[in-house]
Amino acid sequence: MEQNNSALWSNLAATLQQDLPVTSELLSLLERERKALEQRDYSEFEQILNPKKQLLLQLEQHATLRQQLLQQAGFTDESTTLTQARAQAPHVAESWQELSTLWSSCQQMNDVNERIAKRTRMVVGQILDAIRGQNNQPRLYTSKGDSQTSAASRSITSA
């Protein structure tokens, strides 16, 4: 089994090392996205979308590969695997931890961007309501969490 783990650690190390620069690039794109959203630079925002999708696809493929490798080696949970990696392949554990930190940063930046986008949608909606003369209408929430004015509320049959 040690021989199998040697191949496992080698394969894991390869995917982790490939994902480090990709994840760093994703974080950079997310930071650019934040600036574009804050400045309402939608042309810049659109230029970011395609590369971001490609990076996410690549990361997803590697995550699937890692999951398959771990399952084939008999590992069932991440904490056990990480414990084994620390004992048998510290370089893998270090890369894994570094990548985990980057992923966490990406998640935080994505959450910030999502809040900015939601706020922008709300402000634009309020402006459109004001233009339409509907700015005094109370706002209700749909089952999906979106807001709507009472003038646009559902009929009793869709309740």
Side-chain angles (χ1 to χ4, degrees), residues 25-26 28-34 36-37 41-58 110 113-114 117 121:
E25 187 176 346
L26 177 62
S28 176
L29 280 178
L30 289 168
E31 290 168 354
R32 280 181 49 204
E33 182 180 73
R34 180 187 50 81
L37 286 168
D41 185 352
Y42 300 116
S43 62
E44 171 71 7
F45 180 76
E46 286 181 31
Q47 290 176 9
I48 294 168
L49 291 179
N50 238 4
K52 182 177 151 184
K53 284 180 190 178
Q54 294 301 317
L55 294 173
L56 288 170
L57 179 62
Q58 188 175 355
N110 193 58
N113 292 351
E114 184 178 348
R121 277 193 304 270

Side-chain angles (χ1 to χ4, degrees), residues 55-69:
L55 294 173
L56 288 170
L57 179 62
Q58 188 175 355
L59 290 169
E60 186 177 320
Q61 289 170 344
H62 285 167
T64 300
L65 175 62
R66 278 191 295 275
Q67 185 66 28
Q68 290 170 350
L69 290 169

Side-chain angles (χ1 to χ4, degrees), residues 61-90:
Q61 289 170 344
H62 285 167
T64 300
L65 175 62
R66 278 191 295 275
Q67 185 66 28
Q68 290 170 350
L69 290 169
L70 292 172
Q71 285 176 346
Q72 289 170 359
F75 290 105
T76 57
D77 66 280
E78 192 171 308
S79 64
T80 303
T81 307
L82 196 50
T83 301
Q84 285 289 332
R86 284 187 184 115
Q88 296 178 9

